[in-house]
Amino acid sequence: MHGTWLSWIVFLPLIGAAAVMLLPQRFTRLVATLFAAAEVAIALPLWWRMDSSNGAWQFAELRDWIPSWGASYSLAVDGISSLLVLMTVVVTLIAVVGAFNSVDKRAREFFALILALETGMLGTFLATDLLLFYVFWEAMLIPMYLLIGVWGGQRRIYAALKFFLYTMVGSVLMLVAILWLYFHHRSEAGFATFALDAYYGLPLAAAAQTWLFLAFALAFAIKVPMFPFHTWLPDAHVEAPTAGSVILAAVLLKMGTYGFLRFAMPIFPVASAEFTPWIVALAIIGILYGALVAMVQPDLKKLVAYSSVSHLGFCMLGLYALNTQGITGAMLQMLNHGVSTGALFLLVGMIYERRHTRLIADFGGLWKPIPVFAVIFLIVMLSSIGLPGTNGFIGEFLVLLGAFRVNPWWAAAAAVGVILSACYMLWMFQRVVFGPVTHPENEKLTDLSMRERLVFAPLLVLIFWMGVAPQPFIDRMQASIGRTLQIVNVRTRTSHAMNDAPILVAPAAIAPTASGGTR
């Protein structure tokens, strides 16, 4: 199975979606759970068997797809994408099990779409052919659009259309840029290909890099979502069903940060250098703006949605610190945000199922009637604000360290966001959980069931594992981050020789070279 391991990981959920649609409806939840669990069982050995000292592609699959176009069916994994693949399969299993009681109409279609969405997400992380990457990127839109539009809240159609239009605009511009790269490579090299490694070696003039970078960056910035391209996010999160919000926060938003790291920075290093001050400025504005807006939200789900804008600003700041510490911190923050914010959306969804309200003012004193819920809420809240010993701390620390090495003012401004994050999270928790029970309806609430506790078990393990012993996660990504920075450095120096362009990565910031070569 080694030769087709990645294909099984990508397409097994799609087979599961077909099985869900074909089998009798009484088996829907069982079949969806079995396929989601099988996906975890296949992906875990991949994570363990990867050579963490080798930053190059591993477990590669390469077959002809459309030979006349130079497009290939090309999948591979490295230390960066392996962590995101693992997070995707774990979060999808949690979303499926967590949605057992929250979906009472068209459950068969709902769970089939969740599994189809998983195939799109995994293909995006594993594709090493730009056309194949774009196909998976676009394929993700349809299941999420339907999940929001069919199973969402009262304003679901508005939120679904807004999500679709925002991401579609960015995607179309990225497609135009991919086509420009494709024809430019064919004229320069004499053959057509969409292979990502070929574009890592493609010389580009500074002016061309600027326009191409902008096209890619807009698509990724919308997906992150960076300020001011974030306005679709609160609507999508608030109107989406709980499982959709969990997957959206934990995985889909990481497509943007992954895109910057995998495509925009190494293919367009000169343009990345040119726009670094702007991206850092927008990242810091996003950190502060997201935190301040979250602080005044009356709705729990909207508060968590705006906290995502703030947390993902940290990811972008770490990436564009362009040193090993910053990028490692950004990668950890991607995982941390998936774990902590995914858990927060689950908690909000579970309390909504019981009270049919998400307004903070409708709660208070929940510790007494539902103590297990309150304890899990406390742990997840503390991990979200980055308390030492939980997963959020080490990622934020490395991002601030990486930013401080480049410009101490960047780190100082971002640190204000850490303080604001603690303020709005603690204030929200105090109003929801502490104090007397002021609404009689809350006295009758039932605590988390065994199924719901099991849903949180893997998330709590990850919160403390990544907080106390993050080294296995750092080791897994270090060589691949070093390889990416090496590619950026080499291309920057080549472009500098061509265009007298600025240097993107200073020699002191370059990580050790990955031991493995490229495919």
Side-chain angles (χ1 to χ4, degrees):
M1 186 171 135
H2 292 176
T4 57
W5 198 343
L6 299 185
S7 290
W8 276 104
I9 288 177
V10 171
F11 291 107
L12 184 62
L14 199 59
I15 297 171
V20 166
M21 292 301 294
L22 293 173
L23 291 172
Q25 188 150 351
R26 64 179 182 276
F27 297 127
T28 292
R29 289 169 175 78
L30 175 63
V31 173
T33 305
L34 287 176
F35 272 93
E39 189 71 359
V40 176
I42 294 177
L44 269 178
L46 176 79
W47 194 71
W48 287 112
R49 294 185 63 178
M50 280 197 61
D51 179 3
S52 59
S53 65
N54 185 351
W57 301 118
Q58 300 180 42
F59 303 101
E61 296 179 29
L62 180 62
R63 296 179 185 82
D64 284 340
W65 177 27
I66 312 175
S68 58
W69 294 2
S72 58
Y73 175 78
S74 177
L75 302 177
V77 67
D78 68 354
I80 295 170
S81 49
S82 69
L83 290 167
L84 296 169
V85 165
L86 189 64
M87 183 176 70
T88 302
V89 298
V90 170
V91 165
T92 303
L93 175 60
I94 289 170
V96 167
V97 178
F100 272 16
N101 292 340
S102 61
V103 179
D104 53 7
K105 67 172 182 179
R106 307 181 73 170
R108 179 187 283 173
E109 290 85 350
F110 178 86
F111 287 103
L113 284 171
I114 292 278
L115 292 172
L117 177 61
E118 187 177 17
T119 285
M121 296 185 295
L122 291 168
T124 304
F125 286 135
L126 293 175
T128 54
D129 178 284
L130 254 68
L131 187 59
L132 188 64
F133 163 79
Y134 187 80
V135 169
F136 283 121
W137 176 277
E138 289 295 286
M140 290 185 302
L141 286 182
I142 301 168
M144 183 51 76
Y145 169 77
L146 292 174
L147 285 169
I148 298 172
V150 177
W151 289 272
Q154 290 184 346
R155 298 173 69 241
R156 58 185 179 275
I157 300 300
Y158 168 77
L161 284 173
K162 195 172 180 180
F163 161 77
F164 192 87
L165 288 175
Y166 264 69
T167 47
M168 195 68 192
V169 168
S171 299
V172 168
L173 289 177
M174 183 170 67
L175 178 61
V176 173
I178 289 174
L179 290 174
W180 193 97
L181 279 171
Y182 171 78
F183 287 111
H184 181 67
H185 180 277
R186 193 174 69 173
S187 66
E188 289 289 317
F191 66 94
T193 181
F194 285 99
L196 179 57
D197 282 343
Y199 295 112
Y200 281 166
L202 180 64
L204 291 170
Q209 286 198 35
T210 298
W211 290 108
L212 294 168
F213 173 83
L214 285 174
F216 272 80
L218 181 63
F220 299 144
I222 289 172
K223 196 73 98 178
V224 169
M226 285 187 72
F227 178 89
F229 308 107
H230 66 284
T231 58
W232 64 270
L233 181 73
D235 292 313
H237 266 316
V238 170
E239 299 302 328
T242 299
S245 293
V246 171
I247 292 176
L248 189 61
V251 185
L252 256 68
L253 303 187
K254 311 307 177 306
M255 299 296 173
T257 46
Y258 175 77
F260 274 106
L261 182 58
R262 181 69 84 206
F263 301 97
M265 286 162 53
I267 298 179
F268 317 113
V270 173
S272 288
E274 182 183 353
F275 286 99
T276 289
W278 291 97
I279 291 174
V280 168
L282 292 177
I284 292 173
I285 291 172
I287 290 170
L288 301 177
Y289 167 83
L292 289 170
V293 177
M295 197 172 291
V296 297
Q297 292 305 313
D299 184 302
L300 277 169
K301 210 171 184 184
K302 223 165 188 176
L303 184 150
V304 179
Y306 276 106
S307 77
S308 291
V309 176
S310 182
H311 288 148
L312 287 160
F314 275 100
C315 295
M316 289 305 300
L317 177 62
L319 288 181
Y320 273 82
L322 289 163
N323 50 43
T324 305
Q325 292 89 349
I327 296 178
T328 303
M331 277 297 302
L332 283 173
Q333 274 301 90
M334 290 186 215
L335 302 177
N336 295 335
H337 180 262
V339 171
S340 302
T341 307
L344 282 172
F345 276 120
L346 274 173
L347 287 162
V348 174
M350 288 174 182
I351 199 66
Y352 180 78
E353 287 174 21
R354 288 161 169 78
R355 279 284 277 113
H356 302 291
T357 177
R358 294 188 302 260
L359 293 177
I360 295 172
D362 289 338
F363 298 105
L366 293 188
W367 194 289
K368 186 177 178 182
I370 47 175
V372 175
F373 173 89
V375 170
I376 294 175
F377 197 2
L378 174 65
I379 294 170
V380 174
M381 182 271 297
L382 292 175
S383 78
S384 182
I385 65 177
L387 187 78
T390 63
N391 57 332
F393 173 73
I394 188 66
E396 283 184 352
F397 175 77
L398 285 173
V399 167
L400 293 175
L401 181 63
F404 188 88
R405 285 188 56 190
V406 181
N407 187 329
W409 289 108
W410 293 0
V416 175
V418 177
I419 299 168
L420 292 175
S421 168
C423 290
Y424 68 75
M425 277 292 175
L426 289 169
W427 192 33
M428 177 269 292
F429 188 78
Q430 178 256 318
R431 288 180 289 167
V432 172
V433 173
F434 290 145
V437 180
T438 53
H439 296 274
E441 303 94 319
N442 293 332
E443 293 178 351
K444 302 172 185 174
L445 291 176
T446 55
D447 211 342
L448 298 185
S449 66
M450 185 54 68
R451 177 185 60 82
E452 290 170 327
R453 296 179 195 190
L454 289 174
V455 165
F456 284 107
L459 296 174
L460 296 177
V461 169
L462 285 171
I463 283 173
F464 290 114
W465 183 9
M466 294 173 67
V468 176
Q471 197 60 45
F473 298 90
I474 295 174
D475 288 344
R476 190 65 59 185
M477 69 179 81
Q478 205 72 14
S480 296
I481 290 173
R483 174 181 176 247
T484 301
L485 283 172
Q486 185 189 29
I487 293 170
V488 171
N489 184 49
V490 169
R491 285 182 58 74
T492 300
R493 292 183 183 285
T494 304
S495 298
H496 183 67
M498 286 176 59
N499 307 299
D500 194 23
I503 299 293
L504 178 60
V505 181
I510 300 172
T513 304
S515 60
T518 57
R519 185 164 52 107

